[in-house]
């Protein structure tokens, strides 16, 4: 394989990811951060490939930056729990995952978000919030993943909890690490409620 073939493939992957992010209405800053493309190139992609009748908007302004969005009660917290489970299952958030955005991790992020949108009947989390949740969980400085000791469900909590947060499904305690089960059916299972 020639060096130019490798460069062509990398550029093609960047453009494919950028178009996918544009389809999810990601902000220009987010697309630049995950693909490395310039702002001008992203705007040209939008104008060239997205028709006005497609219903895709270009969002402007700053990306979401508040962890409280995922911690409020009701459907916001339940959706955060479901999305966090998808981010874990697809490997976007993992102990060994690189903290920096990459093309491979960007594709996994899109797949996790698209699966979340298919699984949750009325999803309340948009793509920009999903990016923030993935980054916050990966960093672990504001939000943390915890697992229920009773039913193995995953939960999203504040890093510094003042009081224990019960599991939304069974009311059990949430622990820092996943609970290891002895049965063969229980290993590797991940649930949300």
């Amino acid at each position: 394989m020639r060096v130019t073939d490798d460069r062509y493939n990398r550029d093609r992957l960047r453009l494919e990811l950028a178009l996918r992010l544009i389809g999810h209405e990601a902000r220009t800053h987010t697309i630049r951060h995950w693909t490395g493309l310039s702002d001008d190139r992203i705007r040209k992609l939008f104008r060239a490939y997205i028709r006005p009748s497609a219903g895709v908007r270009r969002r402007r302004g700053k990306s979401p930056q508040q962890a409280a969005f995922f911690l409020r009660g009701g459907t916001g917290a339940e959706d955060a729990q479901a999305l966090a489970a998808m981010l874990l299952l697809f490997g976007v958030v993992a102990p060994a995952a690189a903290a920096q955005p990459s093309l491979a991790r960007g594709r996994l992020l899109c797949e996790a978000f698209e699966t979340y949108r298919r699984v949750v009947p009325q999803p309340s989390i948009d793509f920009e919030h999903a990016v923030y949740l993935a980054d916050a969980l990966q960093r672990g400085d504001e939000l943390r993943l915890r697992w229920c000791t009773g039913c193995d469900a995953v939960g999203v909590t504040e890093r510094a909890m003042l009081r224990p947060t019960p599991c939304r499904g069974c009311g059990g305690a949430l622990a820092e690490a996943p609970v290891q089960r002895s049965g063969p059916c229980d290993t590797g299972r991940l649930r949300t409620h």
Side-chain angles (χ1 to χ4, degrees):
M1 175 162 62
R2 295 184 312 211
V3 174
T4 55
D5 292 339
D6 187 43
R7 194 177 100 205
Y8 169 76
N9 285 334
R10 189 176 62 244
D11 288 344
R12 183 182 51 80
L13 291 173
R14 281 184 181 167
L15 294 174
E16 286 174 359
L17 180 58
L19 287 172
R20 200 168 180 184
L21 294 173
I22 288 170
H24 289 308
E25 298 181 353
R27 288 173 170 83
T28 302
H29 170 76
T30 303
I31 299 168
R32 179 175 20 108
H33 191 65
W34 284 88
T35 64
L37 295 174
S38 69
D39 291 358
D40 186 52
R41 185 77 187 264
I42 294 166
R43 282 190 289 274
K44 287 179 181 176
L45 278 172
F46 189 88
R47 281 193 303 262
Y49 291 100
I50 305 299
R51 298 199 186 325
S53 62
V56 176
R57 299 181 314 174
R58 283 201 60 214
R59 298 194 182 259
R60 305 201 190 289
K62 292 179 78 171
S63 296
Q65 299 176 351
Q66 293 184 348
F69 178 84
F70 304 104
L71 301 171
R72 65 176 188 242
T75 59
E78 290 173 3
D79 280 11
Q81 185 176 347
L83 181 56
M86 294 302 144
L87 294 171
L88 272 172
L89 287 171
F90 282 88
V92 178
V93 175
Q100 295 298 321
S102 66
L103 295 177
R105 192 167 168 239
R107 284 194 313 272
L108 292 173
L109 175 63
C110 288
E111 290 172 16
F113 179 72
E114 291 159 5
T115 303
Y116 155 76
R117 301 286 286 190
R118 284 191 300 268
V119 170
V120 175
Q122 294 178 336
S124 64
I125 299 176
D126 63 4
F127 188 76
E128 287 287 332
H129 280 94
V131 171
Y132 175 76
L133 181 63
D135 288 342
L137 291 174
Q138 185 64 42
R139 287 189 319 267
D141 58 351
E142 293 180 277
L143 298 174
R144 290 262 172 109
L145 290 173
R146 301 198 194 278
W147 284 262
C148 178
T149 56
C151 67
D152 293 336
V154 66
V156 176
T157 63
E158 288 180 277
R159 180 175 187 251
M161 295 187 309
L162 297 176
R163 56 191 135 114
T165 304
C167 173
R168 295 184 161 282
C170 71
L174 294 176
E176 190 69 29
V179 177
Q180 296 295 324
R181 300 286 187 196
S182 59
C185 298
D186 291 332
T187 57
R189 184 176 58 195
L190 183 64
R191 285 193 249 162
T192 62
H193 295 285

